[in-house]
C-alpha cells in the first residue's frame, strides 16, 4: 500500500556511484604525513635506508608510483623511473634502485625497486623465484632478469651475503583497480606464492590499486571521491579476499600521469599510502 499521492509511479533516482561519506578518512592537509616522511630515519643503525619493492604486472603503474612519490616529495612533476605508455612492448627487466633527492647530494632514506612479477606468460614476466631472491637481497643492482630462468647461486649477479640494506623491508603489490575483476587463477596463484614467501620471511606487505581515475568516472571528475566510490570499495574488498591482504593494507592511488603540476588532492592518498609503507617497513627493520 502506498500513501496518498501513490509514490509507486515516482521514478527512482539512479543509484549514486558514491557514498555520502568516505569509508576511509584521509587527512585534510598533507603536512603531518609529509613531515613524517621528511624526518623519517631508520631507527636500526644497521640500516641506511628502508627498501620498498613494488611488484605487479607490466603497465600496472609501478614506475608511475615511484615518479608520483618523487613528485610529491620534491613538489614538482618528475619522471625518473621511466613509465611505459605503450605497455607490453619495451618494459625493463633490470633490477634498479630508485633514490629520491632531498637536498643537493642527499637522499631520502627510503628507496624503491620495481619488478614485473606476474605475467601469465612466463616468457615476459619475472619468475616468482626471482621476486623472492630480490626480497631476500640476493639480486645485484642492474641485474637483468631472465624470464625463462631464475637467477642461480652461480650467477655473478647473485649476492651470496646480502646486508640488511640489500634486503626488501616492505613488499607492495601493484594492480590497476579495474583489473581486479579480471585477475585469473594463474595470476592470483603467482601473487599468493610471492605473498606466502614474503610472509614466511616476516616481510610486511601492502597493496595499491592504481588508475582509480580510469576505473571510476566520479574519481576522474574529482580525486577526492577516491574513498567514496562504491565500485572502488568493491575492488578493494574483492582483492582482499583474493590475496588474503587485510583491507587496511590496501590503498587506492591516482598516480601523476598527465598533470604538469602537483596538487594537494592527488598528493593526499599517495602520502597516506607511503606513510603506511614506511611505518610497516620500519617495524620490520626493528623486529
Ligand atoms: N590514468 C592513469 N594512468 C596511469 C596511472 N598510473 C599509471 N598510469 C599510466 O599507465 C601506463 C603504465 O604505467 P607504468 O608506470 O609504466 O607501469 P609499470 O609497467 O607498472 O611500471 C603509463 O602510461 C602511465 O602514465 C593512474 O593512476 N591513472
Ligand atoms: Mg615500469
Amino acid at each position: 500500500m502506498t500513501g496518498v499521492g501513490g509514490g509507486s509511479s515516482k521514478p527512482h533516482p539512479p543509484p549514486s556511484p558514491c557514498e555520502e561519506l568516505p569509508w576511509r578518512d584521509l587527512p585534510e592537509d598533507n603536512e603531518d604525513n609529509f613531515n613524517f616522511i621528511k624526518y623519517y630515519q631508520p631507527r636500526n643503525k644497521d640500516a641506511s635506508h628502508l627498501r620498498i619493492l613494488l611488484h605487479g604486472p607490466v603497465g600496472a603503474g609501478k614506475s608511475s608510483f615511484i615518479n608520483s612519490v618523487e613528485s610529491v616529495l620534491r613538489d614538482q612533476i618528475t619522471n625518473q623511473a621511466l613509465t611505459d605508455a605503450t605497455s607490453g612492448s619495451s618494459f625493463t627487466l633490470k633490477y634498479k634502485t630508485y633514490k629520491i633527492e632531498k637536498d643537493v647530494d642527499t637522499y631520502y632514506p627510503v628507496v624503491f625497486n620495481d619488478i614485473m612479477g606476474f605475467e601469465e606468460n612466463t616468457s615476459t614476466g619475472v619468475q616468482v623465484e626471482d621476486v623472492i631472491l630480490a626480497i631476500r637481497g640476493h639480486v645485484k643492482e642492474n641485474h637483468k632478469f631472465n624470464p625463462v630462468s631464475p637467477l642461480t647461486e652461480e650467477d655473478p649477479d647473485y649476492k651470496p651475503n646480502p646486508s640488511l640494506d640489500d634486503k626488501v623491508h616492505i613488499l607492495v603489490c601493484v594492480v590497476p583497480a579495474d583489473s581486479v575483476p579480471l585477475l585469473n587463477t594463474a595470476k592470483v596463484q603467482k601473487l599468493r606464492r610471492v605473498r606466502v614467501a614474503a610472509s614466511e620471511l616476516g616481510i610486511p606487505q601492502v597493496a595499491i590499486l592504481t588508475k582509480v581515475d580510469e576505473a571510476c568516472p566520479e574519481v576522474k571528475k574529482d580525486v577526492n571521491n577516491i574513498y567514496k566510490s562504491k565500485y572502488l570499495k568493491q575492488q578493494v574488498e574483492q582483492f582482499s579476499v583474493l590475496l588474503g591482504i587485510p583491507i587496511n593494507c590496501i590503498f587506492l592511488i591516482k598516480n601523476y600521469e598527465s598533470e604538469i603540476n602537483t596538487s594537494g588532492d592527488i598528493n593526499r592518498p599517495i602520502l597516506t599510502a607511503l606513510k603506511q609503507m614506511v611505518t610497516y617497513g620500519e617495524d620490520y627493520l626493528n623486529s
Side-chain angles (χ1 to χ4, degrees):
M1 260 304 269
T2 51
V4 181
S8 59
S9 60
K10 209 169 151 191
H12 287 288
S16 166
C18 284
E19 299 284 1
E20 194 80 6
L21 295 170
W23 58 274
R24 178 177 292 162
D25 281 323
L26 298 181
E28 283 275 310
D29 95 44
N30 285 316
E31 206 180 322
D32 285 351
N33 282 346
F34 185 81
N35 284 336
F36 175 87
I37 303 297
K38 189 170 165 190
Y39 298 112
Y40 169 74
Q41 276 294 334
R43 193 148 47 88
N44 185 332
K45 294 289 165 260
D46 295 332
S48 53
H49 55 233
L50 182 148
R51 188 181 295 275
I52 299 177
L53 176 64
L54 308 169
H55 78 120
V58 65
K62 301 180 294 296
S63 304
S64 301
F65 183 72
I66 298 171
N67 289 331
S68 295
V69 168
E70 180 166 25
S71 301
V72 175
L73 297 181
R74 298 183 61 188
D75 196 25
Q76 63 183 63
I77 299 293
T78 62
N79 202 9
Q80 173 188 190
L82 285 179
T83 55
D84 192 359
T86 53
S87 297
S89 55
S90 62
F91 42 83
T92 168
L93 292 171
K94 250 193 196 173
Y95 196 62
K96 179 175 177 341
T97 300
Y98 296 94
K99 297 177 180 179
I100 298 176
E101 204 174 50
K102 196 169 186 182
D103 294 304
V104 180
D105 287 339
T106 63
Y107 294 87
Y108 282 92
V110 176
V111 303
F112 292 87
N113 288 83
D114 73 325
I115 195 164
M116 191 186 80
F118 63 103
E119 294 309 293
E120 255 168 286
N121 180 349
T122 42
S123 66
T124 52
V126 171
Q127 303 213 357
V128 170
E129 288 73 17
D130 274 334
V131 183
I132 295 164
L133 287 175
I135 292 173
R136 294 169 60 202
H138 287 297
V139 180
K140 277 195 188 156
E141 187 75 8
N142 290 323
H143 170 66
K144 193 168 178 292
F145 290 107
N146 179 344
V148 290
S149 75
L151 186 64
T152 62
E153 289 183 22
E154 291 73 42
D155 198 294
D157 283 352
Y158 183 92
K159 259 194 187 179
N161 301 308
S163 68
L164 184 59
D165 274 347
D166 295 327
K167 293 181 185 167
V168 167
H169 310 123
I170 167 100
L171 180 69
V172 181
C173 178
V174 187
V175 174
D178 57 1
S179 79
V180 173
L182 311 173
L183 285 176
N184 59 28
T185 319
K187 281 189 180 173
V188 170
Q189 298 246 309
K190 274 193 162 186
L191 276 173
R192 272 185 166 272
R193 275 179 65 204
V194 173
R195 172 161 169 66
V196 168
S199 299
E200 280 168 0
L201 295 166
I203 312 289
Q205 299 157 44
V206 302
I208 57 176
L209 302 185
T210 56
K211 305 192 182 182
V212 289
D213 52 319
E214 286 183 352
C216 175
E218 294 303 308
V219 177
K220 199 179 180 78
K221 263 191 251 164
D222 181 358
V223 73
N224 291 316
N225 286 331
I226 199 163
Y227 285 106
K228 290 182 183 170
S229 159
K230 289 178 192 166
Y231 175 79
L232 291 177
K233 183 163 189 248
Q234 281 165 10
Q235 304 320 305
V236 170
E237 288 165 350
Q238 193 179 340
F239 196 69
S240 168
V241 172
L242 280 176
L243 265 292
I245 298 183
I247 285 178
N248 62 6
C249 293
I250 304 177
F251 297 88
L252 295 168
I253 295 289
K254 151 82 181 90
N255 280 318
Y256 282 108
E257 30 86 32
S258 56
E259 298 76 7
I260 52 165
N261 293 308
T262 58
S263 96
D265 292 346
I266 298 179
N267 290 354
R268 194 167 296 122
I270 295 171
L271 275 171
T272 301
L274 180 65
K275 180 188 176 186
Q276 220 46 47
M277 291 172 196
V278 172
T279 303
Y280 291 139
E282 172 66 13
D283 281 350
Y284 172 73
L285 278 174
N286 297 316
S287 63

